[in-house]
Amino acid sequence: MGKYVFGVDVGGTTVKLGLFDESGMVLDKWEIPTRTESSGVNILPDIATSIQSKMSEKAIAEEDVAGVGVGAPGPVDGNGIIHKAVNLGWSEMNLKKELTQLLGGMRVEGGNDANVAALGEMWKGGGQGYENLVAVTLGTGVGGGIIINGKIMTGATGSGGEIGHIHVEDEETEACGCGNYGCLEEYASATGITRLANRKLKQSDKDSVLRNGEVSAKAVFDAVKAGDELAIEIAKQFGDYLGKGLAVIAGVINPEIFVIGGGVSKAGEVLFDYIRPSFDKTVFHGCKDTKFALATLGNDAGIYGAAKMVLD
Amino acid sequence: MGKYVFGVDVGGTTVKLGLFDESGMVLDKWEIPTRTESSGVNILPDIATSIQSKMSEKAIAEEDVAGVGVGAPGPVDGNGIIHKAVNLGWSEMNLKKELTQLLGGMRVEGGNDANVAALGEMWKGGGQGYENLVAVTLGTGVGGGIIINGKIMTGATGSGGEIGHIHVEDEETEACGCGNYGCLEEYASATGITRLANRKLKQSDKDSVLRNGEVSAKAVFDAVKAGDELAIEIAKQFGDYLGKGLAVIAGVINPEIFVIGGGVSKAGEVLFDYIRPSFDKTVFHGCKDTKFALATLGNDAGIYGAAKMVLD
């Protein structure tokens, strides 16, 4: 009989947990609240308790568990130490060591949530069959995770794959959340698309369905699908920035595939129609065959990738 | 007694060879011509013959050789197959397999020359003490090599680290050698700096020492050191493009250090004065402590890195 693996995805509000077998089949999936008060001291003990009660509920012995993988929102270095996970209240936390102790010596692996989700998409999602991929998450912000030869590329200080903050526009006057000006996230996130749309609506006199109702990334792409001209102009701007940004990343990393996820990706394959022209125009010829796919695991990518970390 | 290692750097005109001990001490260094005629069929046999005569000259037995590393100008995939090495006349060559056969089964490792040189700088050059680095070669073109956890990042099709062709300028009207417009190489190579200088000299009425004599990257940086205002403007343009380009690379890879080499780097540390402002302004905060150093091995970086490939 194969072993069991737990995958844990720590978010600012809830902790998602999954119990997997070694083949990647989900046997159970549940959530607990993230108690961020008191600098988040309860988070890891809560996770340990939850795993232990699941084990006793399912009558799983410790020797049948290969380990626990954890993804968390912050830079995690090669030793499993997370630095400044502000959403959790942690300043520095040795994820790996602390949770191993709480679990009586069980094997624990830790990683940054975006990187871990990328590994999940490689294992069981939109990147199946590839070992060199870049996962791009277009949500409230733009996140990224880079997988090289099947392994997470952590970077020297855990900031590898922070592609939301690559500089793509010199003329930007509004600051990004990170403090810089002209980051990719300012144009390619859901928030960024909304901002591009509001700007365009102000600058243009053109009629548009976007003038009736709430402006959002979803509204923009719904309007694009309905053939709305102004929405198409906005989508072109979005795609121009994102395509150029991904072309640079392709030239540096030379991945096999980009896997695009996050809320914005719910628009579907139409995104690629807007990303590919500027990508194709600016990418190095040796990388022009880089593939694009949609992420398929949604919010479960984190627990899959976390489990996968333990199986490597 | 430790073993011997050969490092081979195949260029379009000459093949550089080095005999090393395992600690990285150079015991001998020599060159042979690169015979590119007849689709380069003689190149590998010439290298094998040269290594074998060196072994008999020094009375080195086959069992005392750990192997032969080879860097070559073209994309080399993870299996040691080089694709389209146009300067050598090769369309596709299984470097590793062919040379192993010629050398009676000796271990051979192959890599792209820029990547291999990066490994050399990590081992014995400007990147000593670091395992995550990006080597940037500012020569006739702009080349790059990326080392992650002490290993070359090859990329999916051997184009990893082709940083000379990342897109940095939308408004460029002259094509890069690669066919695209606005590649980093068009502003940060020796040729690129000369082009920026000629443009600036045409646009400006300002007096400059660059108006007397040949315009070159060296002349520009010599003039910068002499306080020439126009040359300083050119250096600022160069540094603005290169700093922004390296900031993007830092955000993607999160290296510990950039090691800058190639002919342009002979200008010395003054380069960093022009690169750092735009780097610091646009880089993701998690990567702001990335270090910069000059390459120190010059044309020998390739043979060092080639030897190092065998020792890993």
Side-chain angles (χ1 to χ4, degrees), chain A residues 75 153-163 165-166 180, chain B residues 246-258 276 279-280 282-292:
Chain A
M153 194 200 68
T154 308
T157 58
S159 293
E162 279 287 358
I163 64 171
H165 301 285
I166 62 175
N180 286 349
Chain B
L246 297 184
V248 169
I249 295 166
V252 177
I253 296 284
N254 184 205
E256 295 163 277
I257 190 167
F258 285 104
R276 289 257 21 167
F279 180 86
D280 291 341
T282 59
V283 75
F284 177 60
H285 59 77
C287 304
K288 70 176 162 38
D289 294 331
T290 314
K291 293 178 183 65
F292 284 80

Side-chain angles (χ1 to χ4, degrees), chain A residues 172 174 186-187 190-200:
Chain A
E172 184 57 54
E174 286 180 53
E186 294 191 78
Y187 315 98
T191 331
I193 295 167
T194 306
R195 215 165 48 94
L196 285 178
N198 283 324
R199 277 190 187 172
K200 180 67 84 178

Side-chain angles (χ1 to χ4, degrees), chain A residues 202-238:
Chain A
K202 224 178 262 177
Q203 288 159 2
S204 168
D205 290 332
K206 223 174 246 178
D207 204 24
S208 166
V209 296
L210 294 173
R211 298 196 187 277
N212 330 314
E214 203 192 347
V215 176
S216 68
K218 182 178 185 309
V220 169
F221 279 101
D222 285 347
V224 164
K225 287 171 194 165
D228 187 273
E229 270 183 47
L230 204 74
I232 288 170
E233 286 176 30
I234 298 160
K236 278 186 181 163
Q237 282 190 306
F238 152 85

Side-chain angles (χ1 to χ4, degrees), chain B:
Chain B
M1 197 195 75
K3 291 205 168 192
Y4 296 97
V5 195
F6 288 93
V8 182
D9 185 16
V10 188
T13 316
T14 58
V15 179
K16 294 188 186 66
L17 298 101
L19 172 64
F20 295 82
D21 67 17
E22 283 179 312
S23 75
M25 173 101 75
V26 196
L27 306 174
D28 201 356
K29 215 168 79 173
W30 69 102
E31 292 185 6
I32 59 174
T34 310
R35 290 198 288 150
T36 54
E37 67 271 16
S38 319
S39 307
V41 289
N42 298 307
I43 299 176
L44 292 182
D46 286 353
I47 291 171
T49 306
S50 183
I51 287 174
Q52 283 162 335
S53 37
K54 187 60 65 179
M55 284 167 65
S56 75
E57 176 196 326
K58 303 260 182 192
I60 296 172
E62 209 177 300
E63 60 266 29
D64 291 329
V65 179
V68 178
V70 184
V76 179
D77 68 22
N79 301 316
I81 298 169
I82 184 164
H83 302 268
K84 287 188 203 148
V86 284
N87 292 341
L88 307 182
W90 295 347
S91 56
E92 184 173 303
M93 176 69 84
N94 194 329
L95 251 182
K96 200 171 154 145
K97 195 178 141 202
E98 298 286 328
L99 193 56
T100 293
Q101 276 173 2
L102 289 164
L103 288 167
M106 208 178 267
R107 180 176 167 203
V108 172
E109 297 295 333
N112 166 268
D113 55 357
N115 292 340
V116 168
L119 193 64
E121 288 291 341
M122 178 196 85
W123 191 32
K124 295 289 168 184
Q128 269 182 83
Y130 299 96
E131 292 221 302
N132 291 282
L133 67 85
V134 177
V136 180
T137 307
L138 308 175
T140 314
V142 171
I146 297 174
I147 308 292
I148 311 267
N149 298 330
K151 307 274 179 201
I152 289 172
M153 195 199 68
T154 308
T157 59
S159 292
E162 278 286 358
I163 63 171
H165 302 285
I166 63 176
H167 180 77
V168 294
E169 175 58 79
D170 285 343
E171 310 298 330
E172 183 58 53
T173 54
E174 286 180 53
C176 177
C178 77
N180 287 349
Y181 291 80
C183 294
L184 180 58
E185 179 163 305
E186 293 190 78
Y187 315 99
S189 63
T191 330
I193 295 167
T194 305
R195 214 166 49 94
L196 285 178
N198 283 323
R199 278 192 187 171
K200 180 67 86 180
L201 286 165
K202 225 179 259 176
Q203 287 159 3
S204 168
D205 291 332
K206 223 174 247 179
D207 203 26
S208 167
V209 296
L210 294 172
R211 298 196 188 276
N212 329 316
E214 203 194 346
V215 176
S216 67
K218 183 179 185 309
V220 169
F221 279 100
D222 285 346
V224 164
K225 288 172 193 164
D228 186 275
E229 269 184 47
L230 204 75
I232 289 170
E233 285 176 31
I234 298 160
K236 278 184 181 164
Q237 282 190 305
F238 152 85
D240 189 51
Y241 284 116
L242 184 54
K244 279 192 290 189
L246 297 184
V248 169
I249 295 166
V252 177
I253 296 284
N254 184 205
E256 295 163 277
I257 190 167
F258 285 104
V259 179
I260 315 282
V264 174
S265 75
K266 290 182 186 154
E269 305 245 337
V270 66
L271 287 178
F272 304 145
D273 299 341
Y274 292 92
I275 298 171
R276 289 257 21 167
S278 63
F279 180 86
D280 291 341
K281 192 176 158 195
T282 59
V283 75
F284 177 60
H285 59 77
C287 304
K288 70 176 162 38
D289 294 331
T290 314
K291 293 178 183 65
F292 284 80
L294 293 171
T296 61
L297 298 178
N299 292 330
D300 287 346
I303 55 171
Y304 275 94
K308 176 65 174 156
M309 275 196 294
V310 177
L311 297 174
D312 280 335

